[in-house]
Amino acid sequence: MYGVCGCCGALRPRYKRLVDNIFPEDPEDGLVKANMEKLTFYALSAPEKLDRIGAYLSERLSRDVARHRYGYVCIAMEALDQLLMACHCQSINLFVESFLKMVRKLLEADKPNLQILGTNSFVKFANIEEDTPSYHRSYDFFVSRFSEMCHSNYEDPDIRTKIRMAGIKGLQGVVRKTVNDELQANIWDPQHMDKIVPSLLFNLQSGEGTESRSPSPLQASEKERESPAELTERCFRELLGRAAYGNIKNAVTPVLMHLDNHSLWEGKTFAVRCFKIIMYSIQSQHSHLVIQQLLGHLDANSKSSATVRAGIVEVLLEAAAIAASGSVGPTVLEVFNTLLRHLRLSVDYELTGSYDCTNIGTKIIKEHEERQLQEAVIRTIVCSFANTLPTYQRSEVMLFIMGKIPIPGMHFTLPSTGSGPEGNRMIQVMLLKSLRQVTCGFRTTNMLTALPNSFLDPLLSFALLEDAEIRLLVLEILVSLIDRHDNLPKFSTISIISDISVLKLKVDKCSRQDNLFMKKHAQHLYRHIYLCSKEQSSVQPHFEKLYSLLALISMELANEEVVVDLIRVALALQDLALSSEEALPVYNRCAVHALSSAYLNLISQLTTVPAFCQHVHEVIEMRQKESTYLLPEDVFIENPKIPKTLEKLEGELLFQQAKITEVLGGSGYNTERLATPYVPQFTDEDRLSKRKSIGETISLQVEVESRNSPEKEERTPAEEITFETLKNAIVDSVGVEEQEKERRRQVVEKFQKAPFEEIAAHCGARATMLQSKLNQIFEITIRPPPSPSGTITSSYGQTQSRSVPVYEMKFPDLCVY
């Protein structure tokens, strides 16, 4: 009997004998290394036998698993691992099929140790680069099984942790094996991503106590690196780092769904951590795709609770801040458009108190939650882009936000759901706050291009609104835009500074672009400064910002002409406070006096004209002795020291325009302009004009009117053009041009120097004449059509149409169809 067995054993194939010889009698002795080396040499020498070796090992392993001989199972898997590492021939694919079959058998086992053993073998296999691709290999089972292991609920916590970590490593192995091989199954398909990503997020969430402190967890200790959360984060980063342009959406969508299904937006912390990992792991040029998906998800949750929307916005803030530091692409304005639209929706929800939800009917709004959402939107607008965008893009964002602010009398571009004027006011305030933050730190060398009419005109129109909060925001924005040398902190409060050298102001020479900007917009700015000072609702912060605005214009945009105009404005403010026609409260009058004195003290030292400084100093000293309530130190304090009524001021307590004109004239300033009191233009001429001054614009209009005057009704007969006529025209052209220039100069001089009453009377006469002619034209051209029924004459001699039934009217044949 024994001889027969021995004979049969000798007749068995060599590869089977070599495989049998690697298994010892006692499995605890482990793999027989000498025999393993023989098997490996045989496999390398006869690669065509490799698939049979794999099939036989698989057969033995299946038998040992069924018989619970786990020691031999471990030996078989070790042998398979060594053969895989050693053999890279073309016939390896058939051996791999046997290998994967054995790994699958181990993963299907109930024993955790076998599952972990199979996973470790698969991870080793995943790290092998195969020379030949496989067209038919499928990893669907492994994705499903490893994902299931990631959610293990085994009773023993240590074993549960090991199973979960094995599942994470298995998923990492699947990704490494398939992600770069186009012939393999597409791991980026939603059917796979919907299993892989939630499994990773589940383990990441279970270890939420360990924060992601940096874009890369390389600084973590070895103990932390072995925790499921740290391992998951590395795996998740590796997965995202391998994502190409077309795969970003499939990788991010399961993250959004996971956060929705488990209500993780409201906590914000985990959601923010997830997207920080995403933004730091993907390629920077793909960042805008993640931003777009977040914006789309925000739109999809427009009817969700305010806490959910606020959570998405907070995540968007963090993600966009990272993206803006790299490449935001064309989505900058899309981000702002979406955020502003949701800001408007939040305002409407807050004011209406509820909204219709598709699933649960009408939902009651919690006001404080909507306010938190609105603050989150503003922070996102500011922090995500405003502080990281280059100057040219920031200018575009400023224009974009300005275009979304509801302006009185102009079209409103944000959709409204019926919250009315109060909703518009809230939007105005919040968008102006956003704009204020965007302009913080804004530095431009060319004010003319950075602040075009399309931005400056709407902004200044808000400075005339009755709402004190809106006016203050406008002043803060203007101050922030003009301050290019960080001088603003030195003028945060209004005070009389005896020596401005201690402030260490940074003053540069006014550039050509700045001169052009002031020629175009100076009168506009002066008018709004003056009118803001007249507002009865203005309080201390308003006057402080007006002082800062005047001071910054003096240092950033001032040439000799601007300095003269600013002094005229300051003196006009003094006249405003003295005027009995203006119904200003006593506090406002004292505040305007204090503002005027503080600014004149500053500008006198900036001009460095000793006589001017002396005059200002004398007036301030007199006020300190007799009327301290006219100085900022007694007005702009917590408890202003002002009288109940303001007596008429005169003499040495006031700054004298004649005196200032005299002392500045001696230093080369335009005395004629200084002597002319500043009167704000209450029309929009300076907004529409592109010429240097209002006088030139009016003179041009009068010149055109004089040419087309209706007084010249007799038309001159057409002159016959001959050779002599042309000759005379050429000879006399120089003289005609000189006459034309002289006539233009006289017209301009008339409107610049003539009294206001004379100019007003002249323009009024022209307007009356024009209106009469227009009435004549309308009377001729706009008449009722002739009636077929004829006309009748009234008792007053006027013709009236006679009412005739339509069926009795006689129409021409051509009018009848």
Side-chain angles (χ1 to χ4, degrees), residues 201-219:
L201 294 179
F202 173 77
N203 285 275
L204 192 63
Q205 184 184 358
S206 64
E208 195 174 352
T210 57
E211 292 262 343
S212 179
R213 292 170 298 278
S214 66
S216 175
L218 297 177
Q219 295 83 1

Side-chain angles (χ1 to χ4, degrees), residues 252-356:
V252 175
T253 300
V255 178
L256 299 174
M257 299 305 297
H258 181 83
L259 297 174
D260 283 344
N261 296 335
H262 296 274
S263 303
L264 295 173
W265 293 112
E266 299 179 9
K268 302 177 187 177
T269 306
F270 180 70
V272 168
R273 183 186 178 194
C274 286
F275 275 90
K276 276 188 174 182
I277 293 174
I278 292 172
M279 298 304 294
Y280 280 122
S281 301
I282 63 174
Q283 300 176 42
S284 59
Q285 65 267 28
H286 300 159
S287 298
H288 66 278
L289 296 176
V290 181
I291 303 298
Q292 285 177 333
Q293 281 195 265
L294 279 169
L295 293 174
H297 199 66
L298 182 60
D299 287 337
N301 285 272
S302 60
K303 294 294 182 71
S304 300
S305 66
T307 52
V308 170
R309 286 178 282 137
I312 299 174
V313 170
E314 290 281 357
V315 171
L316 188 60
L317 185 155
E318 298 291 342
I322 298 170
S325 62
S327 170
V328 188
T331 59
V332 176
L333 297 184
E334 182 184 349
V335 170
F336 280 94
N337 196 26
T338 302
L339 291 174
L340 296 179
R341 186 169 64 251
H342 282 276
L343 186 63
R344 179 73 198 193
L345 282 174
S346 176
V347 170
D348 291 336
Y349 291 161
E350 180 183 347
L351 293 176
T352 55
S354 64
Y355 62 85
D356 295 329

Side-chain angles (χ1 to χ4, degrees), residues 579-597:
S579 174
S580 57
E581 298 178 1
E582 302 293 341
L584 287 177
V586 175
Y587 173 80
N588 291 63
R589 292 182 184 276
C590 294
V592 172
H593 275 297
L595 169 64
S596 176
S597 61

Side-chain angles (χ1 to χ4, degrees), residues 639-653:
N639 297 312
K641 301 175 182 179
I642 57 175
K644 294 182 179 179
T645 58
L646 196 62
E647 298 179 357
K648 186 176 180 180
L649 302 173
E650 55 186 17
E652 297 179 349
L653 291 175

Side-chain angles (χ1 to χ4, degrees), residues 371-503:
R371 288 292 175 89
Q372 290 175 358
L373 169 63
Q374 293 158 15
E375 292 172 2
V377 170
I378 293 176
R379 283 199 309 273
T380 303
I381 291 173
V382 175
C383 301
S384 60
F385 293 104
N387 298 329
T388 52
L389 290 176
T391 301
Y392 72 94
Q393 272 192 324
R394 202 185 292 198
S395 298
E396 292 178 3
V397 170
M398 288 159 50
L399 282 171
F400 184 79
I401 296 177
M402 180 56 69
K404 297 294 181 182
I405 305 178
I407 301 174
M410 296 183 67
H411 179 63
F412 180 49
T413 54
L414 280 179
S416 174
T417 58
S419 58
E422 181 60 25
N424 284 345
R425 184 203 169 273
M426 292 178 65
I427 285 290
Q428 287 172 347
V429 171
M430 283 183 283
L431 292 187
L432 285 172
K433 285 181 179 179
S434 304
L435 193 59
R436 178 186 62 186
Q437 297 299 327
V438 172
T439 56
C440 284
F442 180 75
R443 301 289 182 268
T444 179
T445 55
N446 192 341
M447 297 286 288
L448 201 59
T449 56
L451 301 177
N453 286 347
S454 56
F455 175 82
L456 201 57
D457 289 351
L459 178 66
L460 290 176
S461 68
F462 287 109
L464 304 181
L465 296 180
E466 294 181 358
D467 194 303
E469 184 179 5
I470 291 177
R471 292 202 313 275
L472 181 60
L473 287 171
V474 172
L475 291 173
E476 290 174 347
I477 292 168
L478 284 172
V479 166
S480 181
L481 289 171
I482 295 175
D483 181 29
R484 293 176 294 181
H485 294 89
D486 298 322
N487 288 318
L488 178 58
K490 300 163 187 176
F491 301 108
S492 56
T493 57
I494 307 180
S495 60
I496 302 295
I497 305 169
S498 58
D499 184 6
I500 61 171
S501 61
V502 298
L503 298 178

Side-chain angles (χ1 to χ4, degrees), residues 123-174:
V123 170
K124 293 177 183 177
F125 161 71
N127 292 327
I128 297 174
E129 294 185 6
E130 299 181 53
D131 296 333
T132 55
S134 175
Y135 298 94
H136 59 281
R137 196 180 300 162
S138 174
Y139 294 95
D140 292 0
F141 166 79
F142 296 100
V143 172
S144 300
R145 183 58 184 151
F146 289 139
S147 299
E148 184 180 345
M149 291 170 65
C150 288
H151 292 84
S152 174
N153 288 321
Y154 200 83
E155 295 178 358
D156 189 335
D158 292 334
I159 297 178
R160 180 171 66 237
T161 300
K162 291 180 180 179
I163 294 175
R164 289 185 179 182
M165 291 184 69
I168 297 166
K169 291 177 181 178
L171 291 177
Q172 189 177 27
V174 172

